[in-house]
Amino acid sequence: MTIEEYLYYIILPVLAISVLLVFCRFVIGPSIADRVVALDLLITIGITLIAIYSIVYNQSTFLDIAMILGLIAFLSTVAFSYYLEKRNRKKREKSKGDE
């Protein structure tokens, strides 16, 4: 079994199933944090698909695109966690002021 066959017959179906499951979590996630984590995971799966395409078709340029997409996903997750922390801090301060 070559690497291309392994990617086509094992890795891609696993990634397809994981995209469906993560998308369900993204749609019905009870909180906004669940949705952000699901979106981050969808981007990570997309990066994996880009890497597989790059390997199969011998296009190393796509690895640069995958790396940039990974950096954007990381920075967006950090920015969102900063936003959540700031929002929780304001809620705590407001609840202390009400007492």
Side-chain angles (χ1 to χ4, degrees):
M1 180 178 269
T2 64
I3 188 76
E4 286 85 9
E5 291 173 346
Y6 180 72
L7 291 173
Y8 280 134
Y9 299 122
I10 295 174
I11 300 298
L12 286 179
V14 169
L15 285 176
I17 293 169
S18 66
V19 164
L20 291 174
L21 293 173
V22 171
F23 190 74
C24 288
R25 172 53 65 191
F26 179 72
V27 171
I28 60 174
S31 70
I32 193 164
D34 290 330
R35 289 187 172 111
V36 169
V37 170
L39 184 63
D40 192 39
L41 191 54
L42 281 173
I43 293 172
T44 304
I45 293 170
I47 291 169
T48 307
L49 291 173
I50 291 171
I52 289 172
Y53 181 84
S54 175
I55 291 169
V56 169
Y57 292 106
N58 200 19
Q59 297 285 329
S60 62
T61 309
F62 287 106
L63 291 177
D64 296 335
I65 295 168
M67 202 166 30
I68 291 169
L69 191 59
L71 180 63
I72 291 170
F74 170 74
L75 291 176
S76 64
T77 304
V78 169
F80 181 73
S81 64
Y82 177 75
Y83 163 74
L84 281 181
E85 181 63 30
K86 199 171 187 180
R87 187 178 74 170
N88 289 340
R89 195 176 304 151
K90 283 184 181 180
K91 282 183 181 179
R92 279 186 258 140
E93 289 173 1
K94 185 178 179 182
S95 66
K96 284 182 182 179
D98 291 340
E99 292 176 355

